[in-house]
C-alpha cells in the first residue's frame, strides 16, 4: 500500500444511507489514489438497515478484500452469541435489549439464528484488530499499561475506562469507536482518535483520512457532506 491512503470509518449501526454517502465522499477525495478502508466495527443493531449494511460489506469483502478491512465490534460479538444454538437466555436478551430488535426487523425474522448463513459467517469471522505502519485500529480501545500483543479480546471490544481518560503513549496511535462522542464530532487526542460520532443516534457517520507518512489524521469527512482538517490542541504525551 505504498503511497496509499487509509479511511477509518466509525460505528455504522445499520445506517446504510449514511454509509453510502460517506463512501461516496471518500471516493471523491481519494481522486484515483489507492485507498484502503478500515471499518471499526458495530455494523449491526439500533439503526434501520443492518441487512443492507452487511450485504454491502459482503460484496466488498468478495470483490475488494484487501481494500476493505472490517473489524469486529461488541455488537457483532453480542449477535454472534445470540445466534448460537447453544446460547443462554441472557445472551439473547442482552443482544435484543441493545438494538437487536431493529436488526431482526431489517431481516424480517424473529430469531437471530435465522439470519442468512453468509451474513452470520461474515460476522463470526471478523478480526478484532488491524495495524499499519503508524496505527492500531480496534473497536473499543486497549488497556493502558498492557503491551499491544497481550491485549484481551474483551478489552478490544468493550473497554471504556481507564482507556478514554488515559494520556499515556500506548506504543501506537489507537483509532477506535464504541463510545459515541457527545459533540457528534471526532475526539482527537495525542494518543488516540475516537471516530464514533453517533450515526445511529442522529449524528453523522464519520471517516478519518490517514496517509502513510503521518501518524495523525489529515482530514475528517462526514456523511452529511462536510470536510475539515483536524485541530489537535492537547498536551503531547
Amino acid at each position: 500500500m505504498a503511497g496509499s491512503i487509509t479511511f477509518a470509518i466509525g460505528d455504522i449501526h445499520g445506517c446504510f444511507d449514511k454509509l453510502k454517502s460517506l463512501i461516496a465522499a471518500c471516493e471523491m477525495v481519494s481522486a484515483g489514489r489507492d485507498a484502503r478502508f478500515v471499518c471499526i466495527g458495530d455494523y449491526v443493531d439500533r439503526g434501520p438497515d443492518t441487512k443492507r449494511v452487511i450485504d454491502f460489506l459482503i460484496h466488498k469483502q468478495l470483490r475488494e478484500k484487501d481494500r476493505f478491512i472490517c473489524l469486529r465490534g461488541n455488537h457483532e460479538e453480542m449477535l454472534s452469541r445470540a445466534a448460537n444454538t447453544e446460547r443462554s437466555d441472557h445472551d439473547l436478551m442482552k443482544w435484543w435489549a441493545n438494538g437487536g430488535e431493529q436488526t431482526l426487523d431489517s431481516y424480517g425474522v424473529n430469531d437471530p439464528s435465522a439470519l442468512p448463513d453468509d451474513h452470520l459467517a461474515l460476522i463470526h469471522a471478523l478480526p478484532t484488530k488491524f495495524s499499519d505502519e503508524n496505527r492500531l485500529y480496534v473497536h473499543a480501545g486497549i488497556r493502558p499499561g498492557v503491551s499491544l500483543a497481550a491485549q484481551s479480546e474483551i478489552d478490544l471490544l468493550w473497554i471504556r475506562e481507564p482507556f478514554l481518560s488515559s494520556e499515556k503513549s500506548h506504543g501506537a496511535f489507537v483509532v477506535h469507536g464504541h463510545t459515541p462522542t457527545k459533540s457528534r464530532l471526532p475526539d482527537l487526542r495525542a494518543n488516540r482518535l475516537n471516530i464514533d460520532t453517533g450515526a445511529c443516534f442522529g449524528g453523522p457517520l464519520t471517516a478519518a483520512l490517514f496517509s502513510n507518512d503521518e501518524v495523525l489524521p489529515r482530514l475528517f469527512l462526514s456523511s452529511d457532506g462536510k470536510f475539515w482538517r483536524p485541530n489537535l490542541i492537547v498536551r503531547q504525551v
Side-chain angles (χ1 to χ4, degrees):
M1 297 290 289
S4 67
I5 57 178
T6 297
F7 294 100
I9 295 179
D11 301 36
I12 299 167
H13 278 302
C15 296
F16 180 67
D17 289 341
K18 293 181 181 182
L19 176 61
K20 283 198 306 181
S21 296
L22 183 59
I23 293 291
C26 292
E27 296 285 14
M28 182 182 71
V29 167
S30 65
R33 289 176 290 177
D34 288 337
R36 174 172 56 200
F37 293 83
V38 181
C39 299
I40 218 73
D42 279 8
Y43 316 112
V44 306
D45 305 341
R46 292 185 173 151
D49 292 318
T50 286
K51 182 179 184 298
R52 288 203 291 169
V53 169
I54 301 299
D55 276 332
F56 175 84
L57 296 180
I58 288 175
H59 175 80
K60 290 296 185 182
Q61 290 280 285
L62 288 174
R63 294 176 175 266
E64 306 173 65
K65 186 174 183 179
D66 293 335
R67 191 170 178 244
F68 269 78
I69 310 297
C70 298
L71 301 182
R72 173 181 291 242
N74 64 303
H75 280 259
E76 284 75 52
E77 178 70 13
M78 286 190 288
L79 175 52
S80 291
R81 291 177 178 271
N84 192 310
T85 56
E86 298 181 0
R87 71 194 178 200
S88 67
D89 289 342
H90 174 74
D91 290 335
L92 181 59
M93 294 309 298
K94 181 179 181 181
W95 170 73
W96 189 88
N98 281 281
E101 183 178 11
Q102 287 80 13
T103 293
L104 294 177
D105 288 344
S106 76
Y107 284 93
V109 299
N110 295 318
D111 191 290
S113 64
L115 268 60
D117 289 343
D118 58 339
H119 285 217
L120 290 175
L122 172 72
I123 290 167
H124 291 325
L126 295 170
T128 57
K129 60 185 177 181
F130 174 75
S131 59
D132 60 21
E133 295 83 355
N134 295 310
R135 291 163 289 272
L136 173 68
Y137 304 84
V138 297
H139 176 63
I142 64 170
R143 185 160 295 276
V146 176
S147 71
L148 298 181
Q151 294 290 325
S152 75
E153 185 173 283
I154 292 175
D155 284 335
L156 296 177
L157 296 176
W158 290 94
I159 198 169
R160 287 196 167 98
E161 294 297 350
F163 170 67
L164 294 177
S165 58
S166 174
E167 296 183 337
K168 295 180 179 179
S169 172
H170 300 306
F173 185 79
V174 180
V175 183
H176 69 98
H178 182 56
T179 302
T181 61
K182 294 180 180 179
S183 67
R184 299 297 184 252
L185 294 170
D187 180 14
L188 176 60
R189 309 292 179 95
N191 59 353
R192 66 175 180 87
L193 169 66
N194 181 2
I195 50 172
D196 180 3
T197 52
C200 64
F201 299 119
L205 184 62
T206 299
L209 185 158
F210 295 97
S211 66
N212 280 354
D213 56 353
E214 297 178 17
V215 174
L216 298 179
R218 300 184 65 180
L219 189 72
F220 290 128
L221 308 84
S222 67
S223 57
D224 54 10
K226 296 178 181 177
F227 304 77
W228 69 101
R229 294 193 179 277
N231 183 21
L232 177 63
I233 306 177
V234 297
R235 180 170 62 85
Q236 298 293 315
V237 294

